[in-house]
Amino acid sequence: MSKEFDEKIFCLAKELKLPYTSKFFKDDISQANTESKSYESFLFDILEKEYDLRKENAIKNKIRNAKFPYKKYIEDLIIDDLPSDAKNKVTAFSSLDFVEKGQNIILAGNPGTGKSHIAIGLGIKACVAGYSVLFTTIPLLVNELKESRSNKTLRTFEHRFQK
């Protein structure tokens, strides 16, 4: 392949916002030639890798936009250390059925009982499942509510939570 074609492919991939293709097309073309892949197989492979990269980036963006204070995963939670009433519910919450049903959950209890870990873990699991999440605490929520009332942006604040 000529250098001129390489530059054109790179420019087109950049313009079309195909980050995987613009970065790895030379390697993929070389591998396709070595393995004598058909055009269809080559095209499928490169599009599948582009799709996987976009899906992975979407999950990373959802997790970043959720504003978690740190990353905790529900799978890392030691269920035996939780209070008895939480033990039963964590498994049910982990299925994310409450999200599908449009239900909310409120985690309340003493400090150090795993509320934040559960909330962040469920939030990250929801992000991976494709949901948009916003992590907040009651004090932050109350402050934002007061500020939006004083700035007369309460309607915008309400719409954000309706989404």
Side-chain angles (χ1 to χ4, degrees), residues 16-150:
L16 292 170
K17 294 180 174 58
L18 301 172
Y20 176 87
T21 305
S22 64
K23 192 171 184 178
F24 297 109
F25 75 91
K26 289 180 187 178
D27 297 337
D28 287 349
I29 290 171
S30 176
Q31 181 183 0
N33 286 333
T34 312
E35 296 174 7
S36 300
K37 283 188 178 180
S38 67
Y39 292 118
E40 294 87 356
S41 177
F42 167 73
L43 182 59
F44 175 80
D45 287 347
I46 203 163
L47 289 174
E48 184 178 44
K49 289 173 184 173
E50 196 70 57
Y51 172 80
D52 290 343
L53 180 64
R54 285 190 184 198
K55 196 169 184 178
E56 183 181 316
N57 287 339
I59 290 169
K60 286 178 184 176
N61 286 335
K62 285 181 184 292
I63 290 172
R64 189 181 67 249
N65 292 336
K67 299 181 181 175
F68 296 116
Y70 43 84
K71 287 185 181 175
K72 291 281 189 177
Y73 300 93
I74 202 75
E75 294 80 16
D76 297 337
L77 189 64
I78 301 169
I79 297 193
D80 293 334
D81 292 346
L82 294 175
S84 58
D85 58 336
K87 288 178 186 178
N88 305 330
K89 295 180 181 174
V90 168
T91 309
F93 293 156
S94 293
S95 68
L96 300 178
D97 285 342
F98 70 95
V99 178
E100 287 290 321
K101 295 175 184 174
Q103 297 174 327
N104 298 310
I105 57 173
I106 296 173
L107 304 174
N110 294 328
T113 54
K115 297 178 304 295
S116 294
H117 189 141
I118 293 169
I120 293 168
L122 290 173
I124 288 177
K125 188 168 187 164
C127 289
V128 170
Y131 294 103
S132 294
V133 173
L134 175 64
F135 180 87
T136 191
T137 61
I138 295 297
L140 288 174
L141 194 61
V142 170
N143 283 343
E144 278 191 65
L145 185 59
K146 286 180 180 178
E147 288 173 9
S148 67
R149 284 181 70 189
S150 65

